[in-house]
Amino acid sequence: MELGGQKMAGLATEQSPALKLGKLLGKSTAIIFIALVILIAIFSYLSPYFLTFSNFMNIIRQMSMIAIVAFGMTYVIIAGEIDLSVGSIIGITGMVAAINIKSGLDPVVVIFLTLALGALIGLFNGIMVVKVRVTAFLATLVCMSILRGLSLASSPGSAPVTISSPLFVDLTTMNIGPIPIVLIYLAVLLFITHFVLNKTVFGRHIYATGGSAIAASLSGVNVSRVKIMVFVISGLLSAFSGLVLAGRLSAGLPDSGTGWELDAIAAVVLGGTKFSGGKGTVIGTLGGALIIGILSNGLTLLGMTYAYQLIIKGIIIGIAVILDIWVRREEA
């Protein structure tokens, strides 16, 4: 009987291949950087324009904006929710900034007002989820549609609104030496979001809420406040990215940010954050954003259309979600 019990215990602790693979992908940051090396090698071989300084600067600028949005998405997903409105927030905040600058408002004031707008949109999403009890998927989907409509309607014929303020453009696109200022913004925001998530009580509450909202509530965590705050942070960081994108384009485009919610989610899940919540890091998300940035750039250089790029990103997200489901089932 004792031998049989030991054998059963051994079988119980033995992990299935799916669980081992899922844990490997979820925990090892080495996997992310191995994937980066492989992608760089493949695209360097396939395109003579990939491994150039100017192209890498383009990747850094684009990746930085996606990563900033994805940091906010990381908070939301760790808390057990989802935010589909981030792309539309980018679009509406870029348009609002461009229209206000064109009307003569001080660019610095415009920046702060636009960031406040992003935070307010996030607050609206959080209230809809927590107080009205609409699922995050539906609440942010509705918000996504409304904001995109407002963005398109904000300019006659949905035309771009040119930004002629040198100060605004410099604050969002200038270089400090060889370093793009957006990379400095990315480093600062990475430090802040990582510190908050790993070194503060609020960060621990985010993990607890995503792990089990009921258990967290019984432990004294204000789950409602945590969920509202992660949506506010997501809206704020999306607005920040919208300002940077508008500065880079020197214009507000009604359709800017379209599809960025997919890029942000892909970066988060590729970075090892559990789609079911309770686990993840912004450092992993940065690695995921690098993969998405290099993949998008490389495929564009190879002439692949945006439609096929969406298919590939969708497949990536699907695989990551399936692995997450397998892990949860095996652990249960």
Side-chain angles (χ1 to χ4, degrees), residues 98-107 110:
I99 290 170
N100 281 305
I101 289 174
K102 189 174 183 179
S103 69
L105 201 59
D106 184 86
V110 169

Side-chain angles (χ1 to χ4, degrees), residues 38-197:
I38 292 173
L39 283 175
I40 291 172
I42 290 173
F43 289 129
S44 298
Y45 175 77
L46 295 176
S47 173
Y49 306 105
F50 181 79
L51 204 61
T52 62
F53 179 78
S54 61
N55 188 54
F56 266 98
M57 288 298 100
N58 287 332
I59 292 173
I60 287 173
R61 290 186 180 95
Q62 186 71 15
M63 177 279 301
S64 296
M65 291 184 289
I66 292 172
I68 289 168
V69 178
F71 291 163
M73 186 71 77
T74 303
Y75 275 48
V76 173
I77 292 179
I78 289 175
E81 302 294 347
I82 191 72
D83 188 354
L84 301 179
S85 67
V86 294
S88 294
I89 293 175
I90 290 169
I92 193 66
T93 52
M95 288 299 293
V96 167
I99 290 170
N100 281 305
I101 289 174
K102 189 174 183 179
S103 69
L105 201 59
D106 184 86
V108 176
V109 174
V110 169
I111 289 172
F112 283 104
L113 289 177
T114 306
L115 291 174
L117 174 62
L120 283 173
I121 295 170
L123 178 63
F124 172 80
N125 283 333
I127 290 173
M128 287 293 290
V129 172
V130 172
K131 302 298 182 183
V132 185
R133 297 188 182 280
V134 180
T135 63
F137 179 87
L138 290 177
T140 58
L141 182 64
V142 169
C143 188
M144 176 182 74
S145 180
I146 293 172
L147 292 178
R148 185 60 68 190
L150 289 172
S151 182
L152 292 169
S154 63
S155 177
S158 300
V161 178
T162 303
I163 297 174
S164 57
S165 168
L167 175 60
F168 181 86
V169 174
D170 284 345
L171 285 174
T172 51
T173 63
M174 68 182 289
N175 285 1
I176 298 177
I179 303 174
I181 194 168
V182 67
L183 187 59
I184 296 174
Y185 292 150
L186 174 67
V188 172
L189 290 171
L190 174 65
F191 174 80
I192 293 172
T193 52
H194 175 75
F195 180 84
V196 170
L197 201 54

Side-chain angles (χ1 to χ4, degrees), residues 27-45:
K27 289 183 178 180
S28 180
T29 54
I31 296 295
I32 296 173
F33 293 102
I34 289 172
L36 286 172
V37 170
I38 292 173
L39 283 175
I40 291 172
I42 290 173
F43 289 129
S44 298
Y45 175 77

